Amino acid sequence: MTTPAIAARGLRKSYGDKTVLDGIDLAVPAGTVFSLLGPNGAGKTTAVKILSTLVTADAGELHVAGHDLAADPQAVRAAIGVTGQFSAVDGLITGEENMLLMADLHHLSRREGRRVTGELLERFDLVEASKKPAATYSGGMRRRLDIAMTLVGGPRVIFLDEPTTGLDPRSRHTMWQIIRELVTGGVTVFLTTQYLEEADQLADRIAVLHGGRIAAEGSAGELKRLVPGGHVRLRFTDPAAYRSAALALPGTTRDDEALSLQVPSDGSQRDLRSVLDRLDSAGVEADELTVHTPDLDDVFFALTGGAAIPHQPKENAR
């Protein structure tokens, strides 16, 4: 069995009498995006701080990049990169100088540091701005520089704590593409987000954090199937065809005025084929067919009892 890039068993953390993480278990395969989803205050940042050695857990067996967090935190630090909610960029110096500073901190030679800096500035489309003070950068540029700085040491595991919060739609899409490219290169990404669409777009697996516990975990598709309410909507222009379809599909919800039928469905190919086969047998063809499956909004509200979570602008949805 392949060793997970990140593994936690029984992770607990309290601050005073407030329990932030109440015995959570996680296993993140290498070369994937794992998203910890939850509203502000859910404990996402605390989990990142613990797994990146910045904060000590109260309890739990923790391994990152094959190293025991308690026994060898230095080896963990050497293998990871962290981009927090707030940029680590120094606005008083140039983008290039920020990068070279990180190279020095990673003990790269002067020649190697300049090579890595040049490659990353080009990769993140920052060459033109590299000689300008970082304080003059837009929010999206500062975020790109922040992640470029994180990559100077060549980490195989990267923690991104709400990396797109506050970015405009274009910058957010750029950040998504960067994350996808990192994973294509074999990097494991542990992503925290309060945006449902972001988790849906990027994550191979998603864990919903609520009340200090994992309320549910799975792929976006698996989580959506936890929630009832999926259906196929059929619309007709011919009243006779509409009536025939209603007879062929018992248990549907009828809208006689709109000449439409709502058929319960899990959205699977098999279920959809069954609906179409029954229409074919009745010699009926719908003028319009749409499939609705529950989205992550539905999942989140079902799992957390309606705890508030922000929405991204609709431009960012698929």
Side-chain angles (χ1 to χ4, degrees), residues 241-263:
Y242 165 70
R243 289 191 294 270
S244 297
L247 291 173
L249 298 166
T252 61
T253 301
R254 298 176 53 152
D255 184 338
D256 294 339
E257 186 174 336
L259 297 183
S260 70
L261 300 173
Q262 186 171 298
V263 187

Side-chain angles (χ1 to χ4, degrees), residues 34-90:
F34 182 91
S35 178
L36 196 57
L37 176 66
N40 284 331
K44 304 186 302 296
T45 296
T46 298
V48 167
K49 286 182 175 179
I50 290 172
L51 293 170
S52 60
T53 78
L54 297 175
V55 171
T56 304
D58 295 337
E61 298 177 22
L62 310 172
H63 291 81
V64 176
H67 304 289
D68 187 308
L69 209 67
D72 200 355
Q74 193 57 42
V76 172
R77 293 185 194 113
I80 67 173
V82 183
T83 297
Q85 291 183 35
F86 305 102
S87 174
V89 172
D90 185 338

Side-chain angles (χ1 to χ4, degrees), residues 72-142:
D72 200 355
Q74 193 57 42
V76 172
R77 293 185 194 113
I80 67 173
V82 183
T83 297
Q85 291 183 35
F86 305 102
S87 174
V89 172
D90 185 338
L92 298 178
I93 59 178
T94 68
E96 183 181 54
E97 288 166 342
N98 270 283
M99 295 290 292
L100 293 173
L101 178 60
M102 289 301 296
D104 288 343
L105 291 173
H106 282 282
H107 306 293
L108 300 184
S109 68
R110 182 177 178 84
R111 181 177 179 180
E112 180 68 3
R114 288 203 166 276
R115 183 189 68 78
V116 170
T117 291
E119 288 179 357
L120 287 170
L121 287 172
E122 184 172 353
R123 178 178 176 184
F124 287 87
D125 194 23
L126 291 168
V127 173
E128 188 176 333
S130 64
K131 303 294 186 183
K132 299 175 183 178
T136 65
Y137 289 12
S138 67
M141 290 170 65
R142 287 175 70 92

